[in-house]
Amino acid sequence: YDRSDALGFCCTTRCYNFIHSWQLGFAEYKSSIVLADIADNEVNEVEIPALGVTRESGFKLFTSFARSSTDPYMVLSYRFTDQGFDKYLAGNQDYANTVQIHHWDGDDIGDAQLTFLLHSVKLGQTVLIQDTDKTSLRIDTGFKLTFAKTGDTSAIV
């Protein structure tokens, strides 16, 4: 389960991760990325607006070419604590000011599937993205993410 979210009881004041914020109507996806479309050794820079500051703040990462709504996918979001609702995460060393990568097996806004926090990446860190399938096996996607720098209210990865 995902302890980075109100439903996982991360904090005294409950802050929803991007997926649950989207389900509740507080956030929208800014864009989607199909990982299979990215060439080997290709470098892409993505600016992720802060959740709770900018409504369109999440990136959906599809792991297949199909882009079907029923395909499993991952979500990138930025938990910024200087502004917005995530200010209540300030002082939380695991989740404050991090780029989070979640997996979700849900199909639509009303789906009650659990979210899985795959990575919580701090400024300057690089991770090899490992996804989690429905049997909780860690799957190497072959993609790296580096939290390179911050904007005023965004993360650049």
Side-chain angles (χ1 to χ4, degrees), residues 16-19 21-22 26-32 46-60 75-80 86 98-100 153-155:
Y16 295 103
N17 66 33
F18 175 83
I19 296 166
S21 293
W22 168 73
F26 302 145
E28 293 293 334
Y29 287 98
K30 179 176 176 73
S31 187
S32 62
V46 176
E47 184 171 2
I48 307 169
L51 173 64
V53 176
T54 305
R55 183 171 177 79
E56 291 184 348
S57 56
F59 282 81
K60 192 180 282 191
V75 175
L76 290 177
S77 62
Y78 177 44
R79 307 300 297 269
F80 181 61
D86 277 348
T98 61
V99 172
Q100 293 188 340
T153 59
S154 63

Side-chain angles (χ1 to χ4, degrees), residues 47-123:
E47 184 171 2
I48 307 169
L51 173 64
V53 176
T54 305
R55 183 171 177 79
E56 291 184 348
S57 56
F59 282 81
K60 192 180 282 191
L61 301 177
F62 287 98
T63 55
S64 74
F65 287 107
R67 273 187 156 178
S68 164
S69 64
T70 59
D71 282 347
Y73 59 88
M74 295 175 285
V75 175
L76 290 177
S77 62
Y78 177 44
R79 307 300 297 269
F80 181 61
T81 61
D82 289 356
Q83 296 179 33
F85 193 77
D86 277 348
K87 67 183 174 190
Y88 295 107
L89 288 174
N92 183 311
Q93 297 301 310
D94 295 324
Y95 310 124
N97 298 311
T98 61
V99 172
Q100 293 188 340
I101 306 170
H102 283 88
H103 175 95
W104 188 51
D105 287 325
D107 294 334
D108 62 51
I109 205 161
D111 201 317
Q113 294 292 322
L114 295 175
T115 60
F116 297 92
L117 179 63
L118 303 174
H119 302 282
S120 191
V121 187
K122 296 179 182 182
L123 183 62

